[in-house]
Every structure is written in structure tokens, then in C-alpha cells.
Amino acid sequence: MKIAVLGSGGWGTALALVLLENGHDVTLWSYTAEESAVLRETGENPMLKGVPLPKELKLTSDLECVKGCGAVVLATPSFAVRTTARAAAPLLDPGAVLVSVSKGIEKDTSLTLTDAIEQEVGDAHAIVALSGPSHAEEVGRHIPTVVVSASKDRSAAEQVQDLFMNERFRVYASDDVVGVELGAALKNVIALCAGISDGMGYGDNTKAALMTRGLTEIARLGVAMGGRRETFAGLSGVGDLIVTCTSMHSRNRRCGILIGKGTPTDQAVKEIGAVVEGYYAAANARTLAQKVGVEMPITEAAYQVLYEGKDPHGVILDLMTRERKHELEDSWV
Ligand SMILES: NC(=O)c1ccc[n+]([C@@H]2O[C@H](COP(=O)([O-])OP(=O)(O)OC[C@H]3O[C@@H](n4cnc5c(N)ncnc54)[C@H](O)[C@@H]3O)[C@@H](O)[C@H]2O)c1
């Protein structure tokens, strides 16, 4: 199949390579001509060092590349997903499936990214979210990876499953697109917190607590938004949370470590050099939680550190000294 991948960061490039290996005719679109020229001239992506780009991978910065494609993968940072979908919309073939692989919640609208895409391309196109525990650096090195393809449209979810699946890249299908997308977006906030905790010199106990209670509040918001609770125990929930909170590949965790060691947030975000989705997600998730009326104390704490400059030590103390609670909200009802 002819497929375009829009966004030539680490993730777009790694996925373009998976599709190419699966025998598809793949074009990787870069946001700027300069970025595309670097890929062409060096034969690799600076975000994915040591992974050669085969000659068969077409490289362009011309959005006309989506014409004639059966599938179009959107792999930009979350803040650029809507504008990229809008620009591509008039060029899409009628039956083209859109695959969102970015992780975030849209600022201002609080929409999931597939909902933002749908607003731009209309309901004539099936839209699928592909997500799960997957570092681009590892997919690029053919390390076995398992993700989930989620859509309201079963045949589209299964079509995307078939496009990507191979012996090193396994894909499950799911109908819970809201649950999959919210798990993916919100775990980046918890990864930043886990990094901050590590940077402050706190231990495994604190990180495990942040991950566990973080997942509880992610699921609380996700269920309120119509997601299924089991999805948060799945690949795009606890799976992605584990990979993001424990790995040095995670730019969210690395950014958190810098902040925990005392680097000002804006400097830490800049130092990482690639998009730190958890930074944006902390503000966008907080807004969504307030709209829906769901309590998210760790996300709120992350917001206070990232946007209000509060000292993480004080914020952790506040979390530790909240009023006593039941672990399960429906205990003894
Ligand atoms: N890197 C990973 O391992 C990984 C894994 C799964 C999901 N993701 C998600 O995929 C998305 C992209 O991540 P990445 O790691 O490839 O990011 P990246 O920072 O490596 O690259 C982002 C790309 O987007 C382009 N871009 C910047 N501004 C743009 C704009 N206004 N319009 C269009 N394109 C623009 C940049 O030129 C760059 O090529 C993120 O939402 C991320 O959370 C990343």
C-alpha cells in the first residue's frame, strides 16, 4: 500500500521503517525542507542515530505526498496534529485511513487527537490511534515491541494492525480509542513526576507510589471520559507508564530528572531538544480534569511544579499529607 508518514521525528521515522520493512511504498514527510535534506544527505535521522534510512524510503517536505495513499500516519508533536491534518485534508484520497501516533490532549479544546483529526478531515475517513510502550530508539533497532491499534471502526483498527504487524512489532486491536489515547497522553505527566522524584534523590518507593496512584487518577479521568477501566491495565495504560517512568530513553523522565536536580523548567524542556509532551499534557489534562470534575492530585502537583515554579519537596509533602483516603474508592459503600 502507498503510505505517507507525516512528521519525521524519531517516532515517525521508526514507524516509516516498520512499514517499509512490511513491503509498503512509504514516504516520510518532514515539516521543513531543511529537515528532509538532512535525512537525505546523512542517510539517518539525528533523533535515531545509528539506524540507516534505506534508499527505498521516499523523503519529502511536500504534503502532496498524501495523494493516492491508502493510509496516512500523523506523527507530529501533539500541538501540530490539527494543523497538519487540516493541511493534508484536501489532498487525501476518499478511502484513506488516518493513523494518529502522537500522544497528547489538545490545548484549548481538551480534545483527544483523533477527535481533533476528525474535525479536520470529516467522518468519511476512518481514524485509528496506534499507541503503547514503544521507544523509537528500540523499534529502530528491531527490539520486540507490542502496541495497540484502537478505533471505533473495527475494520480500520484491524487494517492498521495488519499494516504494521511483523515478527518484531506486534499489534493488538481495541475498540476503546478514548481509553487508549488518554492513557498515552497522561502517562507522560506521571513520567515527568517520576523523573522529578529521581532527580530529587527519592527512591523506588516514591516512584512506585507515583506510578500506581498516577495510574489510578489516569483511569479515573479516562473512565469519566467514556474509556474502559481495563484499557488502563493494558499496553497503552500500565504498559506505557512502565516504559516511560523507568527508562532513560524517555525524554519526559529525563526532563523531570533535570527539574528535580534544580534546573528551571523552561531550561530543562529546551535542554531535552525534542518535544516533551508531558509538559503540555500537565496543563491540558488539568484543564480537562477541572472541566469533567475529576480529582487528579498528582497531575495538579505536576502543574504546580512545572507552571507555578513550586518547590517539588513542598509539593510532595502536600501530596503525602492529604486527608486520609481509601485505596479503592468504593470500599465499604
Ligand atoms: N519518540 C518516541 O519514542 C515516541 C513513541 C511513541 C509516541 N511518540 C509520540 O510521537 C509524537 C512525535 O514524537 P517524536 O519523538 O517523533 O518527536 P520529535 O521531537 O523527534 O519530532 C517531532 C517532529 O515534528 C516536527 N514538527 C515540529 N513542529 C511542527 C509543526 N508545527 N507542524 C508539523 N510538524 C512539526 C519536527 O520538525 C520533527 O520532525 C509525540 O506526540 C510523541 O509523544 C513518540
Side-chain angles (χ1 to χ4, degrees):
M1 181 186 282
K2 194 172 172 217
I3 302 175
V5 178
L6 308 183
S8 63
W11 193 221
T13 304
L15 289 177
L17 293 174
V18 172
L19 292 167
L20 192 74
E21 283 159 14
N22 289 357
H24 300 292
D25 172 1
V26 186
T27 303
L28 181 60
W29 173 86
S30 295
Y31 179 50
T32 63
E34 291 74 22
E35 213 176 325
S36 197
V38 168
L39 303 184
R40 195 171 301 107
E41 282 155 23
T42 63
E44 71 172 17
N45 187 324
M47 307 306 291
L48 217 53
K49 284 210 178 342
V51 178
L53 302 178
K55 285 190 186 60
E56 299 74 42
L57 178 65
K58 295 173 186 155
L59 302 168
T60 186
S61 57
D62 184 348
L63 211 47
E64 295 267 326
C65 67
V66 304
K67 282 187 173 167
C69 285
V72 174
V73 180
L74 286 137
T76 69
S78 61
F79 62 75
V81 166
R82 180 185 286 276
T83 49
T84 307
R86 182 177 299 164
L91 305 167
L92 293 171
D93 263 28
V97 174
L98 297 184
V99 188
S100 172
V101 301
S102 308
K103 295 179 177 176
I105 296 170
E106 195 178 47
K107 193 173 178 244
D108 303 329
T109 64
S110 301
L111 288 176
T112 60
L113 301 178
T114 58
D115 281 344
I117 294 169
E118 189 174 339
Q119 284 188 347
E120 296 301 327
V121 303
D123 53 14
H125 294 278
I127 305 173
V128 177
L130 186 73
S131 196
S134 47
H135 294 309
E137 296 85 345
E138 295 191 358
V139 171
R141 284 163 46 218
H142 293 144
I143 287 178
T145 299
V146 184
V147 298
V148 58
S149 158
S151 179
K152 290 175 261 186
D153 178 334
R154 177 178 178 162
S155 69
E158 289 178 353
Q159 186 189 1
V160 169
Q161 183 177 31
D162 289 340
L163 290 176
F164 281 91
M165 204 149 133
N166 64 37
E167 60 191 16
R168 295 171 301 259
F169 197 81
R170 181 168 174 77
V171 186
Y172 285 84
S174 166
D175 63 357
D176 186 8
V177 64
V178 175
V180 164
E181 283 196 278
L182 287 180
L186 300 172
K187 58 85 196 179
N188 283 331
V189 181
I190 306 304
L192 257 169
C193 296
I196 292 173
S197 168
D198 287 339
M200 290 162 70
Y202 286 166
D204 298 337
N205 296 356
T206 320
K207 189 153 70 177
L210 284 167
M211 290 169 68
T212 314
R213 293 309 301 171
L215 188 61
T216 301
E217 68 181 52
I218 290 174
R220 193 183 296 137
L221 180 65
V223 169
M225 294 297 295
R228 292 223 298 266
R229 192 168 293 281
E230 313 87 274
T231 298
F232 299 96
L235 292 161
S236 59
V238 71
D240 210 354
L241 189 72
I242 291 170
V243 90
T244 320
C245 292
T246 60
S247 169
M248 280 310 276
H249 286 310
S250 166
R251 58 194 67 166
N252 291 287
R253 176 164 176 254
R254 280 189 281 124
C255 184
I257 291 173
L258 289 173
I259 295 167
K261 286 186 171 163
T263 308
T265 299
D266 49 350
Q267 195 181 317
V269 169
K270 237 181 250 155
E271 223 167 279
I272 294 300
V275 61
V276 180
E277 289 283 14
Y279 173 69
Y280 304 102
N284 300 340
R286 177 177 180 262
T287 306
L288 179 58
Q290 285 173 348
K291 274 188 196 166
V292 181
V294 164
E295 196 183 26
M296 298 188 78
I298 299 176
T299 303
E300 176 63 35
Y303 181 87
Q304 290 172 1
V305 172
L306 299 172
Y307 290 88
E308 295 175 347
K310 288 209 177 154
D311 174 21
H313 292 90
V315 167
I316 297 255
L317 184 64
D318 288 347
L319 282 173
M320 291 298 288
T321 53
R322 294 168 71 234
E323 58 174 331
R324 65 180 198 172
K325 301 264 183 187
H326 298 156
E327 184 176 31
L328 306 181
E329 282 159 28
D330 56 359
S331 293
W332 299 292
V333 285

